Every structure is written in structure tokens, then in C-alpha cells.
């Protein structure tokens, strides 16, 4: 039976957006590392965009 190990709704800017994305990635990596070595992992689309600060 398939189970979802990471379900992240996303973050849409703000002062803490960088920290939120980093925390999510670290948690996701830890969860993936703890899956069975022969498990097949499925990952749908994943995109991170940067909005540089205005000069």
C-alpha cells in the first residue's frame, strides 16, 4: 500500500519563507533516508522560485 511521506502545501514569500523551505527540505530528506532501501519513491512536480529583493 502506498503512503505519503511528505505533503507540503508550499510557502508564498514572506520574511521566514527561506527558513520554512530549508526546514521542509531537511525533514523530507530525513524521511526519504528512512524508507526501505528497495522502495520505489514517486515524486510529482517540485519547483522552488526565487524573488530577489529589489535593489
Amino acid at each position: 500500500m502506498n503512503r505519503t511521506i511528505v505533503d507540503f502545501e508550499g510557502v508564498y514569500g514572506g520574511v521566514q519563507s527561506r527558513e520554512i523551505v530549508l526546514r521542509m527540505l531537511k525533514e523530507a530528506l530525513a524521511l526519504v533516508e528512512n524508507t526501505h532501501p528497495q522502495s520505489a519513491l514517486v515524486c510529482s512536480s517540485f519547483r522552488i522560485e526565487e524573488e530577489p529583493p529589489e535593489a
Side-chain angles (χ1 to χ4, degrees), residues 5-6 26-37 39 41:
I5 59 174
V6 176
K26 290 175 185 177
E27 291 174 6
L29 179 59
L31 290 168
V32 168
E33 287 178 334
N34 287 320
T35 60
H36 190 279
S39 290
L41 300 177

Side-chain angles (χ1 to χ4, degrees), residues 16-40:
Q16 295 181 331
S17 60
R18 178 182 172 89
E19 289 77 21
I20 292 169
V21 170
L22 286 171
R23 183 173 359 118
M24 180 276 304
L25 289 170
K26 290 175 185 177
E27 291 174 6
L29 179 59
L31 290 168
V32 168
E33 287 178 334
N34 287 320
T35 60
H36 190 279
Q38 295 177 342
S39 290

